[in-house]
Amino acid sequence: MEKITLNVGHMFCYDCVNALRKFIGSMRGVDSVEVDEGKVAVIYDPSLISEEELFRIAKDSVEKLGYKIIY
């Protein structure tokens, strides 16, 4: 298992946290999703989903909820 962490910069509302956990967490290869203190941490199996694909999907999901990824 591997971990990818996205910095979002500010707190999520409760509904946004649940939406991210449900959507990203249901993806093939994703083991868990934690949202805390402006960060989204995803534990995943790189043999089932690449880091690039996971990052792209997670970034799109975060942005659709009105937040931005901080690099």
Side-chain angles (χ1 to χ4, degrees):
M1 294 291 177
E2 303 241 351
K3 180 178 180 179
I4 185 173
T5 302
L6 307 173
N7 293 312
V8 182
H10 56 79
M11 299 301 292
F12 290 94
C13 71
Y14 179 76
D15 290 332
C16 294
V17 168
N18 284 336
L20 281 176
R21 284 184 179 148
K22 182 182 274 188
F23 180 72
I24 297 171
S26 69
M27 294 171 50
R28 182 172 179 256
V30 173
D31 185 60
S32 67
V33 179
E34 293 299 323
V35 183
D36 189 34
E37 300 294 324
K39 295 181 189 260
V40 178
V42 182
I43 305 294
Y44 68 100
D45 183 342
S47 69
L48 298 174
I49 187 168
S50 70
E51 181 177 353
E52 294 80 19
E53 181 181 12
L54 179 59
F55 178 81
R56 181 184 52 78
I57 293 170
K59 179 180 178 290
D60 288 347
S61 298
V62 166
E63 289 178 352
K64 284 180 183 176
L65 291 171
Y67 300 96
K68 297 288 182 195
I69 301 296
I70 298 171
Y71 297 97

